[in-house]
Amino acid sequence: MEIDRSKISPMMQQYFEVKDKYKDCILFFRLGDFYEMFFDDAIVVSKALELNLTGRDCGLDERAPMCGIPYHSADIYIKRLIDMGKKVAVCEQLTDPAETKGIVVRDVIRVVTPGTLTESSMLDDSENNYICSIFYDEESASCAVASADISTGEADLSLFEGKDLEAAVINELSRCKPAEVIFPESFLALKSVADFIKVRLQCAVTLRDNECFSPSERRSCVAEVFGVKSMAELGISEDGADCGALCGLFDYIRDTQKTSVSRFTSVTLLSGDAFMGLDLNARRNLELTETLRNKEKKGSLLWVLDSARTSMGRRMLKNWIEQPLKSPAKIIERLDAVDALYKKSVILADMGDLLDRTYDLERLMTKVMYKSANPRDIKSLSATALQLPLLKKELEKFPDSKLLSRYNANISDLSEIVRLVENAIMDEPPVSVKDGGVIKDGFNQELDELRHIMAHGKEIIDGIEQREREATGIKNLKIGFNRVFGYYLEVTRSYYDLIPEGWIRKQTLTNAERFITEELKNAENAILSAKDKALNLEADIFAEVRDYISTKLAEVQQTATAVAAVDVLCSFAEVSLRNQYVKPDISIDGTVDIKGGRHPVVELMLSDEIFVPNDTYIDTKSNRMSVITGPNMSGKSTYMRQTALIVLMAQIGCFVPADSAKISVVDKIFTRVGASDDLTAGQSTFMVEMSEVADILKNATPNSLVILDEVGRGTSTFDGVSIARAVAEHICTSKKLGCKTLFATHYHELIGLEDELEGVKNYSIAVNKHGGTIRFLRKIVRGGIDESYGVDVAKLAGLPAKVINRAREILEEMESAHKSEKTAAADNSEEQISFGSINREAALEMLERTNISELTDSECRELLKDMAELLK
């Protein structure tokens, strides 16, 4: 919209001076009790938020388009705009309109973006809200990702180098799922990462000037944030990519928050040596924090394990799930802590009650640091601090757990904060300081005096009246009040001769005179100004309380982290008790030996059937690869996923769903499961599958766990078999890879690998077939099967009977033709085949695959009939 600014009013000129600085934002311009938007912003926001579009005289021929919202409900509207991908610049009145001559001074006090939210009303309590800064250094071919949650004060830094740099960056972004990403122009060279952000993350992005990421210009600001003299104290370089990413992050936070970034106390350097490697596909396919189909928490591993009582604990639980440990010693520490809690369930329940009364210390402290905490926030912080001595007392009952003892030592009772807040703040304070009634009586003498004046003003005036009457002898002396003169002494004409010399005449009436005295004037000033003074004094005292709490940031942050960790360990113990999980043994010999393993999610989702547990044994020697055959819907994918989840659960320090488990730590988990086309990225099913397999072969190590489901099925049979076999050979061969692998396939040709490759073992899903129906027994048994049961599965899926019957006819014709070809080939062979021995072997194999205890009497009879037919 073209506007002749020379004609517009002074107020509107002020608006444009501010708007010019924030062209990429919606400007909330404070006018009295409203935030107003004008011109293009007004048109956009009125449509987006369904507000009435009005107009305002601005000096032009036409009125300026305008819409507005009440200032006290701004958060609701800001959140809606942020969810639409907008940025909002909040422009406040910085001077009091009542005391300002001319235009009120206004300026932006904060820019709200998706990654810089701090208000609890705009955030999910159970999730972090990350903003990521990415800096790519072309000279050193290195890239760093600095991530922060402004609402909790957490900051992480990762540095990536080498030819697989882009994949590593993508994995880190998939872990933290940022609400906003910022980067300089050099980042655009990482095309795969840029595409991932655009297609998969779909978060807000901001391109910043290169100087914002310049270590030479910005590292002093970072040093100031963390209170260090050099970057070396933080463990990062002075001018590398890691420093650049951190500089860009805190420069942006400072620009948007319009204040020094004092909320952060430390930065965590994320190392690949500390945590299990989980790429995007593994996180999605294992459904760690959300389901693959509906992106919901219910149905994910997080849903199963989340019995945390605090918001801090729920956020930490999510981070632990996404970052399993690799250090056996640290894993065992967590498991021992969970075991201690597990064995003392009464104490565990008492701790749960205490944690239920614990508020979100991290986000409360953010409000304190940014001076947005209200009286109830401060009271909530104190209420939480009151629980800490009780929690510490409970933790003292676990002296044998080194981890719980360490967390207990890190939890401060915050006694100084409690003492100050409980003495200063009312038990049930109002939300806003401006309404008064926040500070307790007896805390501040001056405030008590002002409140006394406010409550006893009439008594003060009556006392002056009585004293003056007695002192002068004027019996009908009275004190009155009007808006012009304030309080006055009124004397009738008959008592004029008794008027003292010190009285000051203010007004003459027909039959009386009105006077004031120094004492009366002082009392008037005190009474009339007491309320304003009291409100201002309360605000000042509250600010002092809040500022004092801000000096305890490091102490509160350390306490919050320890309380959150205790909450997660308690959650693990509660879930383990409820779901009958067992403590796994952690090993380093490469063996994964699970007895009676169950899928943690599926077993809870089943309502009308019992989950069938299964054993798993894989190692790095003679049992490196399990080739699993069986029909669709029989449970192959569930079995493989449950194995991966049990390993992952053990490495986050949780008990596992099994009768017993020996888990050797794995460095990475890879999955190639499912066949959803990545159409938005322009890739077919087969292309996606091959890309994922290529990533596995490139990045897996001998200590990795690989889950492969139906590799090669997206192309022709011969191509698929060839690729599947080649992949299996590569993974299973010790000299090439030799990692632990579960390989599910429809290609029965792979069954022969057991006899040809060392380390391969065949397994299958037991199926009971009698008559024209099949029953999946969900049991993993030794040995492969060469029957697909595809038509039977199609029948279970509900295909029409005519289609099923026709499919059986075609299948019989094809099988008959295949048998004829084999017979002709056998006749031409010099060796004679004993069909009797083949049938006997088939009967024995049928018997081995069947668990008699799971069959009904009629099914047993059917089985005997089938075996008798084979042995005729």
Side-chain angles (χ1 to χ4, degrees):
M1 183 180 293
E2 291 296 327
I3 298 165
D4 186 351
R5 297 193 184 184
S6 63
K7 297 181 179 179
I8 60 177
S9 63
M11 188 276 289
M12 201 58 74
Q13 287 180 7
Q14 183 188 49
Y15 169 83
F16 276 111
E17 286 174 5
V18 178
K19 178 64 180 175
D20 286 344
K21 300 175 186 176
Y22 300 93
K23 293 181 179 179
D24 61 338
C25 301
I26 300 293
L27 182 61
F28 274 33
F29 194 73
R30 182 73 178 267
L31 287 177
D33 290 337
F34 283 81
Y35 286 116
E36 304 288 3
M37 285 131 275
F38 298 102
F39 296 102
D40 291 342
D41 280 1
I43 294 169
V44 169
V45 173
S46 63
K47 289 180 180 178
L49 302 183
E50 297 180 350
L51 302 175
N52 288 331
L53 183 65
T54 60
R56 182 185 180 94
D57 292 332
C58 62
L60 299 175
D61 294 338
E62 295 183 7
R63 304 181 80 198
M66 180 182 79
C67 68
I69 58 168
Y71 82 94
H72 55 77
S73 57
D75 284 357
I76 300 170
Y77 295 99
I78 290 175
K79 180 65 168 75
R80 289 173 62 188
L81 289 171
I82 293 298
D83 289 342
M84 296 174 190
K86 309 290 186 186
K87 297 179 181 179
V88 178
V90 181
C91 182
E92 281 290 353
Q93 297 175 163
L94 302 182
T95 55
D96 187 345
E99 299 177 2
T100 303
K101 294 182 178 180
I103 297 176
V104 174
V105 177
R106 296 180 178 88
D107 203 355
V108 170
I109 62 165
R110 185 182 167 207
V111 178
V112 187
T113 71
T116 59
L117 298 176
T118 58
E119 293 81 0
S120 298
S121 59
M122 299 187 191
L123 295 166
D124 184 340
D125 287 342
S126 63
E127 292 191 4
N128 287 101
N129 187 64
Y130 286 115
I131 177 171
C132 284
S133 166
I134 307 176
F135 182 75
Y136 176 56
D137 186 344
E138 294 179 272
E139 289 186 15
S140 63
S142 59
C143 183
V145 179
S147 56
D149 183 345
I150 299 178
S151 70
T152 65
E154 297 170 57
D156 299 327
L157 180 63
S158 301
L159 179 63
F160 307 104
E161 298 172 311
K163 60 181 180 179
D164 297 324
L165 176 150
E166 290 196 62
V169 173
I170 288 173
N171 288 339
E172 173 60 13
L173 292 175
S174 71
R175 179 191 68 82
C176 54
K177 295 177 183 173
E180 185 173 3
V181 175
I182 60 174
F183 46 78
E185 192 173 354
S186 63
F187 160 79
L188 300 177
L190 303 179
K191 191 174 183 306
S192 297
V193 182
D195 289 344
F196 172 78
I197 293 172
K198 180 181 179 181
V199 175
R200 289 288 181 86
L201 288 184
Q202 297 181 339
C203 61
V205 295
T206 302
L207 179 65
R208 302 273 287 170
D209 292 338
N210 290 333
E211 65 182 30
C212 298
F213 297 80
S214 170
S216 60
E217 296 184 31
R218 297 290 191 271
R219 61 173 167 247
S220 60
C221 298
V222 175
E224 182 183 345
V225 168
F226 295 105
V228 297
K229 294 180 179 178
S230 68
M231 297 295 99
E233 293 182 51
L234 296 174
I236 65 176
S237 67
E238 291 289 329
D239 54 7
D242 50 355
C243 186
L246 212 56
C247 288
L249 175 66
F250 286 105
D251 179 77
Y252 186 71
I253 293 174
R254 185 183 58 187
D255 276 0
T256 55
Q257 302 305 300
K258 303 299 177 184
T259 182
S260 61
V261 190
S262 56
R263 175 62 183 91
F264 297 85
T265 59
S266 64
V267 58
T268 302
L269 305 181
L270 300 180
S271 167
D273 295 333
F275 304 112
M276 176 196 291
L278 289 167
D279 64 11
L280 173 63
N281 293 317
R283 297 177 198 280
R284 293 173 66 244
N285 292 330
L286 296 179
E287 298 182 306
L288 298 183
T289 58
E290 63 183 17
T291 58
L292 194 57
R293 179 174 297 178
N294 298 322
K295 308 297 181 187
E296 296 175 343
K297 179 182 175 182
K298 184 176 181 180
S300 67
L301 180 63
L302 177 61
W303 169 69
V304 173
L305 299 183
D306 189 2
S307 283
R309 308 301 184 95
T310 69
S311 299
M312 302 176 291
R314 282 189 285 273
R315 291 193 295 270
M316 184 172 283
L317 171 61
K318 187 171 183 286
N319 287 332
W320 280 18
I321 289 174
E322 293 186 321
Q323 292 181 308
L325 299 174
K326 281 168 58 176
S327 165
K330 291 182 178 179
I331 296 169
I332 292 170
E333 259 195 338
R334 283 189 188 175
L335 288 170
D336 287 346
V338 174
D339 192 37
L341 294 163
Y342 183 96
K343 290 175 179 176
K344 295 183 179 180
S345 56
V346 175
I347 299 175
L348 176 64
D350 291 341
M351 290 174 66
D353 292 339
L354 293 173
L355 290 167
D356 273 333
R357 298 194 288 272
T358 300
Y359 292 91
D360 194 337
L361 283 175
E362 291 176 330
R363 287 185 171 164
L364 286 173
M365 276 307 291
T366 295
K367 289 186 175 183
V368 169
M369 299 308 296
Y370 286 112
K371 303 185 184 302
S372 62
N374 62 42
R376 290 185 184 175
D377 292 329
I378 299 298
K379 200 68 180 178
S380 295
L381 198 155
S382 178
T384 295
L386 284 169
Q387 308 303 316
L388 298 178
L390 302 175
L391 182 62
K392 288 175 69 66
K393 189 174 181 180
E394 295 297 329
L395 287 170
E396 288 171 1
K397 298 174 182 178
F398 301 96
D400 295 334
S401 171
K402 293 180 180 178
L403 188 59
L404 291 177
S405 297
R406 192 158 65 245
Y407 286 143
N408 192 20
N410 287 341
I411 296 174
S412 166
D413 58 13
L414 304 180
S415 56
E416 293 179 357
I417 291 177
V418 171
R419 193 158 44 247
L420 175 61
V421 174
E422 293 306 308
N423 286 332
I425 308 296
M426 291 283 193
D427 292 336
E428 295 184 6
V431 175
S432 176
V433 184
K434 68 173 186 168
D435 299 325
V438 172
I439 306 302
K440 281 184 175 181
D441 291 335
F443 183 75
N444 181 278
Q445 184 178 351
E446 184 183 353
L447 180 62
D448 290 345
E449 291 173 357
L450 290 170
R451 285 176 172 170
H452 178 78
I453 292 171
M454 291 164 59
H456 302 90
K458 187 176 185 304
E459 295 175 17
I460 294 171
I461 297 300
D462 289 345
I464 295 174
E465 181 180 271
Q466 183 64 30
R467 285 194 301 277
E468 292 293 349
R469 189 179 292 163
E470 292 173 357
T472 61
I474 302 173
K475 295 181 180 180
N476 66 348
L477 176 71
K478 66 179 182 179
I479 294 180
F481 177 84
N482 66 35
R483 292 186 178 181
V484 178
F485 298 113
Y487 288 102
Y488 54 82
L489 294 157
E490 186 171 292
V491 181
T492 56
R493 187 182 297 274
S494 58
Y495 289 97
Y496 281 179
D497 58 328
L498 298 178
I499 296 172
E501 292 183 4
W503 287 18
I504 303 169
R505 181 179 283 105
K506 293 295 293 183
Q507 188 179 18
T508 301
L509 304 178
T510 305
N511 297 314
E513 295 277 352
R514 290 176 176 175
F515 301 85
I516 61 170
T517 67
E518 193 67 29
E519 181 186 15
L520 184 61
K521 200 63 185 173
N522 290 337
E524 175 188 312
N525 291 337
I527 293 169
L528 296 182
S529 63
K531 184 175 181 180
D532 289 339
K533 286 181 178 179
L535 289 176
N536 291 334
L537 184 56
E538 277 201 81
D540 291 342
I541 294 170
F542 177 76
E544 288 178 16
V545 171
R546 186 183 59 207
D547 291 345
Y548 174 79
I549 295 173
S550 70
T551 66
K552 302 293 183 181
L553 172 62
E555 188 178 344
V556 175
Q557 188 72 30
Q558 178 178 280
T559 298
T561 302
V563 170
V566 169
D567 191 17
V568 176
L569 293 171
C570 288
S571 180
F572 285 168
E574 284 188 32
V575 172
S576 298
L577 279 165
R578 184 167 60 244
N579 297 334
Q580 298 180 324
Y581 293 170
V582 298
K583 181 182 179 182
D585 293 325
I586 302 300
S587 174
I588 56 173
D589 64 2
T591 301
V592 172
D593 186 4
I594 301 168
K595 303 295 186 187
R598 313 185 303 276
H599 193 295
V601 179
V602 175
E603 73 167 344
L604 296 184
M605 299 290 280
L606 293 177
S607 55
D608 51 2
E609 59 180 300
I610 298 173
F611 188 88
V612 179
N614 276 298
D615 299 345
T616 301
Y617 185 89
I618 45 177
D619 57 30
T620 55
K621 298 175 182 176
S622 58
N623 294 274
R624 291 192 294 274
M625 177 178 287
S626 297
V627 175
I628 307 164
T629 49
N632 286 324
M633 295 173 58
S634 62
K636 299 192 302 298
S637 294
T638 298
Y639 168 71
M640 293 193 299
R641 283 188 175 103
Q642 90 182 25
T643 301
L645 287 173
I646 288 173
V647 171
L648 185 142
M649 287 173 67
Q651 289 189 222
I652 65 174
C654 184
F655 285 15
V656 300
D659 295 335
S660 68
K662 175 186 176 183
I663 306 295
S664 290
V665 175
V666 303
D667 63 354
K668 301 174 184 178
I669 292 179
F670 294 96
T671 64
R672 158 82 283 282
V673 181
S676 57
D677 284 14
D678 194 0
L679 298 178
T680 54
Q683 292 185 315
S684 68
T685 300
F686 185 64
M687 187 64 181
V688 170
E689 178 184 325
M690 289 299 100
S691 296
E692 292 176 1
V693 172
D695 286 339
I696 293 172
L697 299 184
K698 188 188 305 179
N699 297 304
T701 75
N703 292 321
S704 300
L705 174 62
V706 174
I707 305 297
L708 295 172
D709 191 9
E710 307 295 351
V711 170
R713 69 176 173 182
T715 185
S716 69
T717 302
F718 289 152
D719 282 350
V721 171
S722 302
I723 292 170
R725 181 175 178 117
V727 169
E729 289 177 355
H730 181 91
I731 290 176
C732 195
T733 303
S734 297
K735 292 181 180 179
K736 295 180 179 177
L737 189 50
C739 63
K740 293 182 283 289
T741 306
L742 299 178
F743 196 126
T745 183
H746 272 101
Y747 296 135
H748 307 125
E749 293 84 351
L750 299 188
I751 295 173
L753 283 174
E754 180 175 339
D755 299 324
E756 301 173 30
L757 279 180
E758 180 193 359
V760 177
K761 293 291 185 289
N762 286 325
Y763 292 88
S764 59
I765 306 291
V767 177
N768 179 40
K769 182 176 182 179
H770 58 90
T773 62
I774 61 170
R775 179 185 170 204
F776 300 133
L777 303 182
R778 313 290 185 193
K779 201 71 178 175
I780 296 291
V781 295
R782 189 75 171 81
I785 57 171
D786 57 3
E787 206 172 341
S788 294
Y789 302 103
V791 176
D792 299 288
V793 173
K795 182 180 179 181
L796 289 175
L799 261 65
K802 291 181 180 179
V803 174
I804 296 297
N805 293 335
R806 177 56 183 152
R808 292 194 191 280
E809 292 174 5
I810 295 171
L811 179 61
E812 288 173 5
E813 291 172 5
M814 294 175 68
E815 287 179 341
S816 177
H818 185 60
K819 286 179 181 178
S820 298
E821 291 174 4
K822 290 179 68 176
T823 302
D827 290 340
N828 293 331
S829 174
E830 295 179 359
E831 297 180 10
Q832 295 297 314
I833 299 174
S834 171
F835 288 98
S837 65
I838 291 175
N839 287 345
R840 282 194 295 276
E841 288 178 8
L844 285 172
E845 186 180 351
M846 181 183 294
L847 188 60
E848 287 174 353
R849 291 203 319 265
T850 305
N851 188 341
I852 299 296
S853 64
E854 294 183 354
L855 301 182
T856 63
D857 291 345
S858 61
E859 289 172 342
C860 285
R861 285 193 291 274
E862 287 289 339
L863 176 65
L864 286 173
K865 284 182 183 178
D866 293 341
M867 292 177 65
E869 286 293 326
L870 286 171
L871 296 172
K872 282 182 181 179

